[in-house]
Amino acid sequence: MKPIKLSARMKNVAKISSGTVLGQVITILSLPIVTRMYGAQVMGIWASMYAIAIIISTVSDLGLSQALMVEEKERVEALYQFISTLSILLSAAAFVLVAAYEYLLGGQGLLQALAFALFVFAYAFTIRQVQTCYTWLNREKQYSVLMKNPIINAGVMAGAAIVLGLLGFKQYGYYIGMVLGQVVTLWHMRRSLPRRMFVRRLSGGRALVVRHRDFVRYQMPTQLVVQVRSQLPNILIG
């Protein structure tokens, strides 16, 4: 019987899928430990943070991340830097709004409101960057890098949350673990991207937005509606 020969495309699919499966296995194995360690209240607060962060990350790039796949080679780096700069500025603006809401209307103290907003900001920005970098690496066919993302993300999240929980950080340990997983994953991906991440001025961004206006008009609103519909229950319950 002749061995089955996989095409290059199928090998790449298998490579990425294997990383995803291993990441899910890590999550499944660690979840009973983490949930018992932190409890329902902490997990519920994180669900609210996560839901808000996901919605912020959806709009913080104006839908332009997907344009990286079709941008001309000589302009793609400028587009990536514009997206990164725009996303951190919009995420920072969201930090102010979330902190103000939690303090003025949410019944939280000032430090609690700032901490809540800080974790939302950190997760919103890093998850947007991870998704943007994923698009870049997919364009460049860096499948070996992409394969490791779910493993690194799940491993760092679970490991950090468990260690911090054992050290006595019974609330913020979980939040730190979730954000740290994104940060380390982003660091891993960024090694294969241009060193320069931001631009000093957004003046050149107008031309990029105009050139890829279809992504702004259609991609972002569609994703926003999907995410709001998906995350609204978590926000309302939280």
Side-chain angles (χ1 to χ4, degrees), residues 200-232:
R200 294 181 180 180
R201 298 179 180 179
L202 291 175
S203 55
R206 185 175 184 277
L208 294 171
V209 172
V210 171
R211 186 160 64 250
H212 299 294
R213 57 185 175 273
D214 286 345
F215 287 93
V216 180
R217 289 177 179 174
Y218 306 115
Q219 183 81 11
M220 184 186 69
T222 300
Q223 291 182 340
L224 179 60
V225 170
V226 170
Q227 292 299 341
V228 169
R229 184 185 63 182
S230 176
Q231 302 301 332
L232 192 58

Side-chain angles (χ1 to χ4, degrees), residues 13 15 20 44 49 63 70 82 92 111 115 118 128 144 148 159 161 168 171 177 182 185 201 207-208 216 218 221 225:
V13 171
K15 188 180 293 185
T20 302
M49 290 181 179
V70 298
F82 173 72
L111 292 180
L118 181 61
R128 167 44 53 205
S144 296
K148 299 173 185 176
Q171 179 176 0
Q182 293 293 119
T185 303
R201 298 179 180 179
L208 294 171
V216 180
Y218 306 115
V225 170

Side-chain angles (χ1 to χ4, degrees), residues 115-166:
F116 186 98
L118 181 61
F119 282 112
V120 169
F121 160 77
Y123 201 80
F125 174 67
T126 53
I127 199 169
R128 167 44 53 205
Q129 272 296 297
V130 166
Q131 292 169 352
T132 302
C133 292
Y134 186 99
T135 305
W136 176 291
L137 294 170
N138 192 30
R139 170 193 171 108
E140 299 298 321
K141 300 180 180 180
Q142 297 286 334
Y143 302 118
S144 296
V145 178
L146 296 177
M147 178 197 72
K148 299 173 185 176
N149 287 346
I151 303 171
I152 294 172
N153 198 355
V156 173
M157 282 182 176
I162 292 172
V163 170
L164 290 171
L166 291 174

